[in-house]
Amino acid sequence: MVGDVMIGFIIRRSLAAIPVLIVASIIVFVLLVVGGNPLEQLKQNPAFRPQDIARLTKEYGWDKPAPQQYMTWAKGAVHGDFGKSIQTQRPALEMIRERLPLTLMLTGASMLFSLLIAIPVGAYVAIRKYSRADYVATFGTFVMMATPSFFLALLLQLLFRIALFTVLPPMACPPGLLLLASPCRPRAA
């Protein structure tokens, strides 16, 4: 009985996610279209002739109306074809699959790290309500929530790069450290 309720809940939530994904994809597409043709910058590069730019514009379908561009992309996306990268000329899905394991590892590590801090601090603060520790934890929470994630990520990269790589001897980089800073390189002695 409880399992049936849960399955129904999961199905309803999954169905509700479909319109959200469609609207999000339309918003992202509109923002990309408003940015103009990305090949316009290539006109300033003498290595690209106007014929090259016209060929690429036609190849990527940027000469078609925006609704037609979106529908072409959406039909392909439903069938697992997200197009190809302009920079690498590789299929986008292949590039996503390549980066997904490290992304999931980073996400899992950050969730574990958050829980290892949040649960003990939350339990301690719940016991000592309105204490100095409660106010410090509340203030810290608000500061962390107000800090943009990209800025915090840059600060943490800098912190780990300085603190970690100056302490550790030069060595091959374990996979976890690749997530925290730039790829490991042997340091000059």
Side-chain angles (χ1 to χ4, degrees):
M1 177 137 167
V2 174
D4 293 338
V5 172
M6 186 57 78
I7 290 172
F9 175 76
I10 291 171
I11 290 172
R12 280 193 310 277
R13 286 295 184 153
S14 298
L15 291 175
I18 293 171
V20 172
L21 289 173
I22 292 170
V23 169
S25 72
I26 290 171
I27 290 171
V28 169
F29 181 79
V30 167
L31 291 174
L32 288 172
V33 168
V34 168
N37 186 341
L39 297 176
E40 289 295 320
Q41 296 174 353
L42 294 179
K43 288 182 180 177
Q44 299 163 356
N45 187 341
F48 284 92
R49 299 177 315 212
Q51 298 91 342
D52 296 330
I53 294 172
R55 180 184 52 80
L56 288 172
T57 301
K58 184 169 179 61
E59 181 181 331
Y60 285 105
W62 291 325
D63 56 342
K64 296 183 173 96
Q68 187 178 354
Q69 289 179 33
Y70 177 78
M71 291 308 294
T72 301
W73 174 84
K75 287 176 188 171
V78 167
H79 293 92
D81 178 17
F82 292 104
K84 63 181 177 178
S85 168
I86 298 170
Q87 293 178 338
T88 63
Q89 299 299 314
R90 292 174 50 209
L93 190 59
E94 178 183 306
M95 295 173 67
I96 292 170
R97 283 188 185 133
E98 188 178 280
R99 289 164 175 80
L100 190 61
L102 286 177
T103 301
L104 293 176
M105 192 166 112
L106 178 60
T107 303
S110 65
M111 287 178 63
L112 180 65
F113 184 71
S114 299
L115 289 174
L116 289 175
I117 292 174
I119 291 174
V121 169
Y124 180 80
V125 169
I127 294 170
R128 291 176 176 71
K129 223 175 194 179
Y130 305 114
S131 67
R132 186 174 291 169
D134 182 19
Y135 290 121
V136 168
T138 302
F139 177 77
T141 301
F142 283 131
V143 167
M144 295 302 284
M145 289 178 68
T147 304
S149 57
F150 67 89
F151 181 71
L152 186 60
L154 289 174
L155 288 179
L156 288 174
Q157 282 182 351
L158 182 64
L159 171 77
F160 281 112
R161 188 175 297 145
I162 292 171
L164 209 53
F165 290 124
T166 56
V167 174
L168 293 176
M171 61 180 164
C173 197
L177 289 181
L178 285 173
L179 301 174
L180 300 175
S182 61
C184 295
R185 294 181 292 276
R187 289 198 312 264

